Amino acid sequence: MKHDLPPGRGKPMRLLALLAFALLGVLVAGLMGLMPGDLIPRESGARTAMDFFQGALRPALQHNNWVPPGAPSLFEAIAAATQRTILIAFAALGLALVFALPLAFLGAECTWKGNTSLLARWVPKSTRLGIALLRSVHEYLLALLFLAAIGLSPGAGVLALALPATGILAKIFGELLDEAQTHPFRAMENLGATRATALLFGTLPRALPDLAAYTFYRLECALRGSFILGFFGFPTLGLGLRLAFEEGDYPTVWTYLYALIALMVIFELSSAAMRRRLRS
């Protein structure tokens, strides 16, 4: 919705679209024959589930299985894995931001509006196609590909998360730029500013709070993605959880889960505080 349209216009259509998606989901679930009873585990599964959830009440405070002499304690291992999880997530998101913002401007309609040149016809279309290609391959498939090509290096994990994040950020950033208020942009152009200057100092500041808010959300996604990379062998929190789960050591599994939950809560509180400061 462009902000130069009358206030409230388009909101009923958005609500109807959301309702339509919800109804479609319920209809498809019915056509697939999905029933609540399908979620009830059988006897062996029920015992495993009981053991698993009992582990939540008694998380491990030390290694329950044999570890080599001199190996770090459980909490030292979790602290090191947490650090690697954070570093991979920040590196991936930072790399994605470097490329996403220029791509967002190149693909945004506001950048080329009123320009009838051949460049204005093909650059945004080709940019949006490239953005779509970047986000079309899931990060975990990329993790498998880079794992085979590069091996268990941090760079492989960073690239696996950064490439689709670049496409997603560029798409959302472009839409937010198009939805930003156009009055400052037009005022600067009327005063003789170039289009690039008007975009950078007229449109971008208006969209910046929403851009930052979405970036914080993508950071949380990157943290969860970095965690899951451990299931592919990368030395993040997910690796410790996977190994403990394979050994049936559910208390240790929950220790790693609680570490992830604490990490996500800390980042959620921090990002919420920063979003409030940006909007104040």
Side-chain angles (χ1 to χ4, degrees), residues 74-90 223 226-227 235-238 255-256 258-264 266-267:
L74 178 61
F75 285 104
E76 288 173 338
I78 289 176
T82 300
Q83 182 184 41
R84 288 190 291 268
T85 302
I86 294 172
L87 290 176
I88 288 176
F90 270 89
L223 285 167
S226 180
F227 176 87
T236 66
L237 280 170
T255 303
Y256 277 94
Y258 285 139
L260 174 65
I261 292 169
L263 180 64
M264 298 305 299
I266 291 170
F267 272 90

Side-chain angles (χ1 to χ4, degrees), residues 85-109:
T85 302
I86 294 172
L87 290 176
I88 288 176
F90 270 89
L93 188 68
L95 189 62
L97 281 171
V98 169
F99 295 99
L101 198 55
L103 288 173
F105 274 107
L106 288 174
E109 293 178 6

